Amino acid sequence: QALTPILAGTSLPAQLWRQWQTIPASERRAQPVNLIRVDLLQDRAGQWKLVEANSIAAGMGPFSEGLAQIQQELWPDLVQAGLVSASVPPVFAPNPAVDTLADALDMAAMQQVRVLQHLQASASAQAARMQPARVQRVGASIPAQSLASTTPLIVFVVEPNEDNIFDQRKIAQALEQRGCRVVRLTLPEIDARLDRAQAPLCVLRDIGVVHALYFRTGYNPADYRSGETHDTSRLLRLRAELETLQIALAPTIPLQLASAKAVQAHWAANINDGVDFAALHTGHQFMHDLCAPNISDWSEWLLKSQGEGGGNVVQGDAIPLQLEKLTTKKKPDWLLMRRIHVTPRSQVVPMLRKGRIEFVRHLMSELGLFVLGDDLHDGGYLLRSKPVHALETGVHRGEGMIDVVALAG
C-alpha cells in the first residue's frame, strides 16, 4: 500500500518491487539483516525530525566513533594549538558502531553456518535411508568440508573502483577478529562467479559457500548497470535471484523497500491520532497529492528523488524548473519534502578539510542513528555537520564533515 503511488514509475524501489513479485513465496529463502540508519535533524522547536532512512547507504558510523577516540587522545595538543578552550576533553556519547555492526553481521553469518550444517546432516540421514538414485541432495557437488565449515564467509558488495572504503575496512577487521572471512566483490563479479547449479546454496567459484552479503552499493538504478550498454536488467535479476538462496542479506529487497522515501511519505500522510509521531513526521508528500502550481514560496520545500545517497535533492526556485522537465512516467520517482528549519550551532568549530584547519560557525548537524536487528537495538551513531547554506551533508561528496556528540555536564 505504501509503495502503490510510485509503482508505475522507474525509480529503484519500483523496479525492486517488480523483481520481488517474480519470486514465488516458496522460494524466498534469504534471511534479512537489518542495519538501517535513521537520519534526523533537530528543528527550532527542539523536535527531532526524520530526514530519511537508509538500509544500504548507511555506513561511516565507525568514523564518528574513531573521531571521538582521536580527540580524546589528542586533546592536550588541541588545547596547546588553541583549537579548543576547555582544558579537559568532554564526555563523548558512547558509540560502539564498529562492534555492533560487526556483531550483527557475524551473528547472521553464523546462523547460516548452522543452517547449512543442519541441511548437510539431514541430507546424510536421508541418504542412509534411501537408495542413492532417489536421494535429492543439497549442494551435491560441494565438498562436505565446505558445508561443515564453521568459518563464516561474508561478502561486502561494493561499487567498481570503490574509494569509500575506510569504515568498511574497520568493520572487516572486526569481523576477521571474530573468525570470519571477508571478501569484497562487485555485483558483476558476483554474477560471473555464482555457481547456479549449486542453488539454493550461494556458491561463488574460487571463493566458496557464502553465508552473508553486506551491500554497500545497490541503492540507485545506476548501481545495476553492466556491460557497454549499461543495461540494468541482468543485475536486477541477480538481486532477485539472491533472495532465493540460503543466505543472510543485509538488506533483503523487502527491508530495502521498508526504508524507501515512499514509505516515509505514507507514514507522514497516515498519522494515527492515538500515537505520538512527532519524531516521524517528515512532511513528505507525493507529487499527485500536491497542487504544485499553488505553491508560491518554494523556499519551504525540497524536491527529492526516491533514490538514496547524495545528489538527489533540488531546492528553491530550481524546483519548478525540474518539475517542468518531469514526464508523467518520471513524476512518481520524485516527492516533495517540507524543509526542516534548524537553529545553527552558535560556537566556532575547527574543521579539518583538504589538509587545512578552518574555523567555521553556523554549522548544522545531522544525526544518524543505527538501529539493528529485529528488536531495533542501538547500533551507534554517525554525526555529520555542514555549513547551514550547504544542501547536503554527504562527507564522501565533500559537503559535510565527520563530527561527534559530546554530552552536556
Side-chain angles (χ1 to χ4, degrees), residues 113 117-118 179 202 265 305 335 350:
V113 168
Q117 289 174 335
H118 174 73
C202 182
S305 81
L335 51 75

Side-chain angles (χ1 to χ4, degrees), residues 22-283:
T22 67
I23 310 171
S26 61
E27 296 182 16
R28 297 170 181 174
R29 300 181 180 89
Q31 296 300 305
V33 184
N34 174 31
L35 304 178
I36 284 180
R37 192 187 74 221
V38 180
D39 292 335
L40 306 165
L41 282 175
Q42 191 175 39
D43 67 13
R44 292 171 181 170
Q47 291 276 3
W48 286 100
K49 301 291 187 178
L50 179 65
V51 178
E52 63 182 13
N54 296 283
S55 56
I56 291 185
M60 299 195 296
F63 285 150
S64 282
E65 178 183 8
L67 180 59
Q69 295 168 351
I70 291 172
Q71 290 194 8
Q72 192 84 28
E73 292 290 330
L74 296 182
W75 199 263
D77 301 291
L78 297 175
V79 172
Q80 187 174 359
L83 297 176
V84 295
S85 57
S87 59
V88 295
V91 177
F92 296 112
N95 187 20
V98 173
D99 282 340
T100 52
L101 289 168
D103 283 343
L105 289 168
D106 179 37
M107 291 174 60
M110 279 303 303
Q111 182 181 15
Q112 292 306 306
V113 168
R114 291 189 289 270
V115 168
L116 296 187
Q117 289 174 335
H118 174 73
L119 290 175
Q120 184 191 31
S122 298
S124 297
Q126 184 184 26
R129 294 192 303 268
M130 303 174 63
Q131 293 296 326
R134 297 174 56 198
V135 177
Q136 182 179 5
R137 292 177 291 171
V138 177
S141 62
I142 302 298
Q145 61 268 29
S146 296
L147 283 176
S149 172
T150 58
T151 301
L153 173 55
I154 301 174
V155 172
F156 284 27
V157 187
V158 299
E159 294 181 1
N161 305 313
E162 172 75 84
D163 60 356
N164 188 16
I165 61 175
F166 299 103
D167 67 308
Q168 297 177 31
R169 285 182 177 174
K170 292 178 74 69
I171 297 170
Q173 289 169 357
L175 286 167
E176 288 165 352
Q177 290 169 0
R178 287 160 172 76
C180 298
R181 179 185 169 205
V182 177
V183 177
R184 293 162 51 85
L185 293 172
T186 65
L187 281 168
E189 288 171 337
I190 292 172
D191 185 47
R193 289 179 178 270
L194 184 61
D195 189 346
R196 289 167 171 85
Q198 307 303 333
L201 297 179
C202 182
V203 179
L204 301 183
R205 297 183 186 90
D206 301 322
I207 292 178
V209 179
V210 181
H211 302 98
L213 292 176
Y214 172 39
F215 280 85
R216 292 299 299 260
T217 186
Y219 49 86
N220 281 310
D223 299 334
Y224 295 88
R225 291 174 179 170
S226 64
E228 295 181 358
T229 62
H230 288 175
D231 178 58
T232 61
S233 59
R234 181 177 181 86
L235 294 183
L236 283 169
R237 287 196 300 270
L238 170 67
R239 184 69 192 278
E241 184 179 5
L242 295 173
E243 298 284 340
T244 69
L245 303 180
Q246 188 61 57
I247 193 170
L249 295 181
T252 56
I253 288 177
L255 191 54
Q256 185 169 346
L257 293 177
S259 67
K261 294 184 181 73
V263 175
Q264 298 169 41
H266 174 78
W267 280 110
N270 294 276
I271 294 176
N272 186 333
D273 292 337
V275 180
D276 180 10
F277 276 98
L280 289 178
H281 184 62
T282 66

